[in-house]
Amino acid sequence: MAGMKFEYDESGSTFFYFLTSFLGLVLLPCTFYFWPAVEGEDQEKDRCEIFQRKHSRLKKPEKWKGLRKTTQRLLILTGWVVMAFLVYKLQQFDYEYANFDPYDILGIGVGSSIAEIKKAYRKQSLVYHPDKPTGDERKFMRLNKAYLALTDDDARRNYERYGHPDGPGAMHFGIALPSWIVEKENSLWVLGLYGLVFMIALPTVVAIWWYRSSKFSNDQVLLDTTQLYYYFFHKTPHMVFKRALMVLAASLEFEKGHNPEIVERPTDNIELPQLIKQLPNLGEKNKERPLCFAYSMKARSLLHAHLSRMKLPDATLDQDRLYIVKCCPILIQEMVTCVSQLIMLAHAGRISRLPSLDTIEACMKLSPHIVQALWDSKNPLLQLPHITEDSLRHFVSKRRPVKTIEQLLSLSSTERHHVLRSLSEEQFSEVMIACRKMPKVEMNVNYEVVDDDDSGVFTAGAIVTVTVNLRRRPLGEAFEQSLQDTEHKPEGQDKDEETADAVPAAKKSGWKKPQPKKGGKSKSKAQPPKKKQQQSTGKKEELEDEKKEKSGLQQQPEQVEVVEEKADQDTDEDESASHSDESVAEEADTESHKEDKHANSVDDDAEWERFQKGLTKREKALEGKSRMSHTVHCPYFPDDKQEYWWTYVCDRKKHMLITAPYQITNLVDHEEVQLKFTAPQKPGIYTYQVCLRSDSYLGLDQSQDIKLDVKEAREIPTEHPQWQECSSDEEDDDENDVGKDDGEDSEYTTDEEVTDDSDEE
């Protein structure tokens, strides 16, 4: 383009602009994400001993974390200092180039004579001339332009008109790189730097990243471990809890060749055999590979010790136990995914063996039992702090046995103290705090056929959508609200409920014999006298009718006029009744029309709400699932864990999984989940179960039955009135087109056709 120049940055101002922008883009997000947050003090003072031990263990690496936080703060502060310096330099550049004042540059006052101007110019040129030791080429150029602006007529005119002695110069675009990069002397160094960065360093980093990431799945599980799970679940379709635990311990995340974080100590040769002797039913004689490998035996023994809550050496085996237990939730989720995929492949006919429902539920059971460090045969009350096997005997009584945490909260204060009488007041308060923080989930299930006219009718092969609405509250809050509801219940409502209960009871009391009357005579004996009375009354009525007819014949001449008047009145009444009937019919038509309009508007509103719900669900799916819900009370788990859930549809009678388990990771207050499956191909009534399982707590699983009355599939329509109308319209259009073609020449008629027609004429 004319009047534009592209040149490298000689002064450095554009490079400073580029550097400031780049540094700001890096510093702002780094300050937001990496600036260490100040951790508040723990507000929960009432903790059990095991929880305090876990808390102190999590805070052990504070020295290394403190050094890292200090380094992060220093780096971020250094970046902001450099940013402030660059902004200051840019302000200096802008001031120098935007404010061209020749009097200020020469250091003289406004209105100075030519002699004073020349004297000041000579004095400063001796200082800033490039040939002098104190020379500065940039300042000398500005000095020269200031001198010309005050002495030369053309330069003075340009300065007065355009603010610069050079006049309206061309637009300059400076490349934000210093000019020394393209100088001939530095070309080898620049090329070497480019080759080092883009041809060696960058490909090496990408290759290392790809080599490491290609070994893992999306959930950061080794692909070799996933293949191992597929092999064992296909080999044993029906798997029990302990067998699933053996497969979990054989994960390659616990093998040093696949995971460099695994530590193998010389003390394992002494401590592990002693531990194996203390563990019953470990299955150490199993010769399956890799279940018999050393790493698998070590992981299995440590998991058995964890579930038995055994004390291990702190410096050696306990450290290995903490690492293995920490990896288990992700591996268990991968196991559940593998089993569900094998089940779907079996339904599709891709594999011969169908894993049972017990297999996938055994995998799900592993997670809460490992998180709470309890075997599957233990009481769920052992999740609470300070509750041991010895104290469980106080929970068993003939009058009111306590088996769950909800039953413990439903007791009165005195009964709770009586059940927990082996604990001190401080321990009792810690138990009640843990109970009140347990989750209480209310599950509401709806099922329908979406995008169908009759959503409540289930036909063979239709897609059934099961919507599971979950509402989560703390268990203590749920019990307090239920108590308030019972206290504020009106008295009349109780009486109404009593009468409502009494009415069906009275209806159902058909087994009682009819009580005889006071006279002692039964109904069968009283029936013949009733017939005689009916006959006598019938004869009396006939005699009275004959008398009336005789008297009526005598009074006929007198009543003729009266009859005529009554006939006129009857005609008038008939006419008014016909008019009233017409008005009533019109009103009924208008009311029915209004009702139809209202029903159509209601249907439109329902369709719009359904459409909006679909959009919000799609937006949530695009946003991704959050993995933050509620912190789990798990003193034996090595790290802070979030509360997750599984929901799925199954058939208990056939031991089949109907839908793949969906993991809910963001149940804070309320969450909605949709599960879809295909209805059976044969008509009939089918009963399925919608299940909800926790991956962190024991005794909180739920299930609800849903019944599907499957009808025969509808036939595909081959004829429809609209299709017939469309075909008749098309035929009419064709006939009209034919008529037009006969009478007129088409716009696409060729010259040859026109000549042929003229010859025929």
Side-chain angles (χ1 to χ4, degrees):
M1 294 174 65
M4 293 186 181
K5 293 182 181 180
F6 291 88
E7 52 187 31
Y8 283 90
D9 185 17
E10 298 290 344
S11 60
S13 61
T14 53
F15 178 69
F16 279 123
Y17 274 111
F18 168 74
L19 193 59
T20 305
S21 312
F22 179 77
L23 194 60
L25 290 174
V26 172
L27 275 177
L28 285 174
C30 286
T31 305
F32 180 75
Y33 286 105
F34 295 109
W35 186 265
V38 179
E39 296 183 358
E41 296 182 357
D42 196 1
Q43 296 180 358
E44 296 182 7
K45 296 181 180 180
D46 297 330
R47 291 182 181 271
C48 61
E49 181 182 355
I50 302 170
F51 214 111
Q52 290 176 356
R53 196 185 309 160
K54 172 185 174 180
H55 195 63
S56 61
R57 183 177 63 249
L58 291 176
K59 283 194 171 183
K60 269 187 180 179
E62 278 297 324
K63 295 180 180 179
W64 177 76
K65 285 185 178 180
L67 180 61
R68 188 180 68 177
K69 291 178 181 179
T70 306
T71 306
Q72 288 178 356
R73 287 193 178 99
L74 287 175
L75 290 176
I76 293 172
L77 288 174
T78 304
W80 282 110
V81 169
V82 174
M83 181 87 171
F85 174 74
L86 291 175
V87 171
Y88 173 75
K89 291 291 290 182
L90 287 175
Q91 289 179 350
Q92 294 297 320
F93 281 121
D94 292 341
Y95 178 77
E96 290 178 1
Y97 283 92
N99 300 291
F100 182 81
D101 188 0
Y103 295 101
D104 187 23
I105 294 170
L106 292 171
I108 58 177
V110 180
S112 300
S113 61
I114 299 297
E116 292 175 351
I117 293 171
K118 290 181 179 181
K119 182 179 179 181
Y121 173 70
R122 290 193 196 97
K123 183 179 179 181
Q124 293 193 26
S125 62
L126 293 174
V127 178
Y128 297 116
H129 196 277
D131 295 338
K132 300 293 182 180
T134 58
D136 189 346
E137 185 178 357
R138 187 171 59 84
K139 289 186 178 181
F140 182 75
M141 292 293 294
R142 288 175 60 83
L143 184 66
N144 191 20
K145 289 180 181 181
Y147 175 72
L148 292 174
L150 297 178
T151 55
D152 187 67
D153 294 336
D154 295 335
R156 189 181 186 89
R157 193 180 304 111
N158 289 332
Y159 170 69
E160 292 175 354
R161 182 175 297 179
Y162 302 108
H164 201 276
D166 295 337
M171 186 179 293
H172 291 271
F173 290 89
I175 299 174
L177 291 174
S179 59
W180 57 266
I181 291 180
V182 293
E183 290 180 357
K184 187 176 181 181
E185 295 82 4
N186 302 326
S187 59
L188 291 176
W189 294 101
V190 173
L191 287 175
L193 182 62
Y194 272 97
L196 180 65
V197 173
F198 293 103
M199 298 181 67
I200 297 176
L202 187 61
T204 303
V205 171
V206 173
I208 293 172
W209 170 81
W210 176 255
Y211 177 74
R212 291 181 178 177
S213 62
S214 61
K215 295 181 179 180
F216 297 91
S217 63
N218 294 331
D219 296 328
Q220 298 302 311
V221 178
L222 286 170
L223 295 178
D224 295 338
T225 301
T226 305
Q227 294 297 326
L228 180 72
Y229 293 159
Y230 279 127
Y231 169 75
F232 277 105
F233 289 128
H234 184 261
K235 181 181 178 181
T236 54
H238 183 74
M239 191 174 290
V240 295
F241 181 83
K242 289 187 177 180
R243 176 73 176 179
L245 186 63
M246 293 175 70
V247 175
L248 175 63
S251 303
L252 295 174
E253 275 77 4
F254 308 142
E255 200 264 327
K256 189 173 178 58
H258 291 79
N259 188 1
E261 296 183 8
I262 296 296
V263 180
E264 293 180 354
R265 302 179 180 86
T267 55
D268 293 345
N269 298 325
I270 302 172
E271 295 174 350
L272 271 178
Q274 297 176 358
L275 178 63
I276 290 172
K277 290 179 181 179
Q278 300 175 9
L279 297 172
N281 303 322
L282 186 60
E284 64 271 14
K285 295 182 180 180
N286 193 334
K287 300 301 179 183
E288 290 181 275
R289 303 177 65 182
L291 301 181
C292 61
F293 289 172
Y295 83 91
S296 178
M297 286 294 301
K298 179 180 178 180
R300 195 190 316 164
S301 59
L302 291 176
L303 286 175
H304 275 249
H306 173 74
L307 293 174
S308 301
R309 296 185 177 182
M310 294 177 61
K311 180 70 175 174
L312 298 176
D314 294 335
T316 54
L317 290 182
D318 196 57
Q319 297 297 322
D320 298 336
R321 177 190 67 86
L322 294 175
Y323 182 81
I324 289 172
V325 172
K326 186 178 179 180
C327 297
C328 283
I330 299 175
L331 297 175
I332 292 170
Q333 173 59 28
E334 187 68 17
M335 293 173 71
V336 172
T337 304
C338 291
V339 179
S340 61
Q341 289 179 359
L342 286 175
I343 291 174
M344 298 308 162
L345 289 174
H347 286 310
R350 301 287 297 276
I351 58 176
S352 58
R353 299 179 179 179
L354 174 65
S356 64
L357 178 64
D358 298 333
T359 302
I360 194 167
E361 289 187 342
C363 295
M364 292 181 189
K365 286 179 183 178
L366 286 174
S367 183
H369 286 287
I370 290 177
V371 170
Q372 299 296 337
L374 289 172
W375 283 103
D376 54 344
S377 59
K378 296 297 181 179
N379 196 315
L381 291 169
L382 293 173
Q383 300 174 101
L384 300 174
H386 309 297
I387 303 298
T388 60
E389 293 285 351
D390 295 334
S391 59
L392 283 178
R393 57 190 177 88
H394 301 300
F395 289 80
V396 180
S397 63
K398 295 181 180 180
R399 188 180 64 178
R400 194 170 185 181
V402 178
K403 297 181 180 180
T404 61
I405 299 174
E406 293 185 8
Q407 291 177 355
L408 179 61
L409 277 179
S410 63
L411 299 176
S412 61
S413 179
T414 55
E415 290 176 339
R416 288 179 205 158
H417 279 84
H418 179 72
V419 170
L420 300 173
R421 58 184 177 272
S422 61
L423 305 180
S424 63
E425 286 297 327
E426 184 179 359
Q427 292 174 345
F428 176 81
S429 63
E430 291 175 6
V431 170
M432 298 318 300
I433 288 172
C435 287
R436 291 190 178 94
K437 287 185 177 180
M438 289 287 178
K440 173 69 174 178
V441 180
E442 298 175 2
M443 183 171 65
N444 185 19
V445 179
N446 296 318
Y447 50 99
E448 60 181 351
V449 179
V450 184
D451 298 332
D452 198 354
D453 296 335
D454 297 329
S455 60
V457 178
F458 304 97
T459 57
I463 304 298
V464 181
T465 302
V466 180
T467 305
V468 183
N469 291 297
L470 302 175
R471 185 189 176 193
R472 194 249 187 220
R473 291 184 296 170
L475 194 57
E477 180 183 340
F479 268 96
E480 288 175 1
Q481 186 173 358
S482 63
L483 289 174
Q484 290 177 1
D485 294 339
T486 54
E487 288 176 359
H488 294 290
K489 197 173 185 180
E491 296 179 357
Q493 188 174 354
D494 296 336
K495 293 180 180 179
D496 294 339
E497 290 179 357
E498 291 177 358
T499 54
D501 294 337
V503 168
K507 289 182 179 179
K508 292 179 181 178
S509 60
W511 55 271
K512 293 183 179 180
K513 295 181 180 180
Q515 297 179 356
K517 294 183 180 180
K518 294 181 179 179
K521 295 180 180 181
S522 62
K523 293 182 180 179
S524 60
K525 294 180 180 179
Q527 284 178 357
K530 282 186 178 179
K531 289 182 180 179
K532 293 180 180 179
Q533 288 178 2
Q534 289 177 358
Q535 291 176 0
S536 61
T537 52
K539 290 180 180 179
K540 289 180 181 179
E541 289 177 355
E542 289 177 358
L543 293 173
E544 289 178 357
D545 292 336
E546 289 177 356
K547 290 180 181 179
K548 287 181 180 179
E549 287 178 358
K550 291 178 181 180
S551 62
L553 290 172
Q554 293 175 359
Q555 295 176 358
Q556 275 182 357
E558 298 176 357
Q559 294 179 353
V560 172
E561 295 179 357
V562 177
V563 171
E564 290 178 356
E565 291 178 358
K566 287 183 178 179
D568 295 336
Q569 292 178 359
D570 292 337
T571 54
D572 295 336
E573 289 177 357
D574 292 337
E575 290 178 358
S576 61
S578 63
H579 288 300
S580 63
D581 292 338
E582 290 177 358
S583 61
V584 169
E586 290 177 357
E587 290 178 358
D589 292 336
T590 54
E591 288 179 358
S592 63
H593 187 61
K594 289 179 181 179
E595 289 178 356
D596 293 338
K597 283 186 176 180
H598 181 67
N600 293 329
S601 63
V602 169
D603 294 338
D604 294 339
D605 293 339
E607 290 180 1
W608 176 252
E609 289 178 359
R610 191 178 299 172
F611 178 71
Q612 290 293 331
K613 286 182 180 179
L615 288 179
T616 54
K617 289 176 183 176
R618 290 175 186 173
E619 291 176 357
K620 288 182 179 179
L622 291 174
E623 290 176 359
K625 291 196 301 181
S626 172
R627 302 191 71 84
M628 298 297 293
S629 55
H630 294 274
T631 305
V632 179
H633 173 79
C634 49
Y636 290 92
F637 194 74
D639 201 0
D640 291 335
K641 189 185 179 304
Q642 295 296 309
E643 181 183 300
Y644 298 156
W645 303 81
W646 283 297
T647 180
Y648 56 95
V649 181
C650 65
D651 189 351
R652 295 285 180 192
K653 293 182 180 178
K654 298 181 179 179
H655 296 278
M656 286 176 54
L657 182 71
I658 306 300
T659 64
Y662 181 84
Q663 190 179 29
I664 305 168
T665 60
N666 54 349
L667 180 57
V668 180
D669 296 320
H670 179 270
E671 187 64 23
E672 181 178 312
V673 178
Q674 283 190 348
L675 305 173
K676 296 183 179 182
F677 65 94
T678 305
Q681 299 296 330
K682 295 182 179 180
I685 297 176
Y686 298 86
T687 303
Y688 299 114
Q689 288 75 34
V690 182
C691 302
L692 180 70
R693 283 186 175 273
S694 173
D695 79 328
S696 306
Y697 294 108
L698 301 174
L700 300 182
D701 301 339
Q702 301 182 34
S703 66
Q704 287 188 18
D705 292 345
I706 57 173
K707 289 186 178 181
L708 300 183
D709 187 3
V710 180
K711 307 294 184 182
E712 291 185 359
R714 299 172 184 172
E715 296 181 358
I716 300 174
T718 57
E719 295 181 357
H720 198 273
Q722 292 182 354
W723 300 346
Q724 294 177 359
E725 291 177 1
C726 293
S727 62
S728 62
D729 293 339
E730 289 177 357
E731 290 176 358
D732 295 338
D733 293 338
D734 293 338
E735 291 177 359
N736 294 330
D737 293 338
V738 170
K740 289 181 181 179
D741 292 340
D742 295 338
E744 298 178 357
D745 293 335
S746 174
E747 59 179 342
Y748 300 107
T749 305
T750 60
D751 296 336
E752 295 177 356
E753 293 177 354
V754 174
T755 55
D756 293 339
D757 294 338
S758 62
D759 292 339
E760 289 176 358
E761 290 176 358

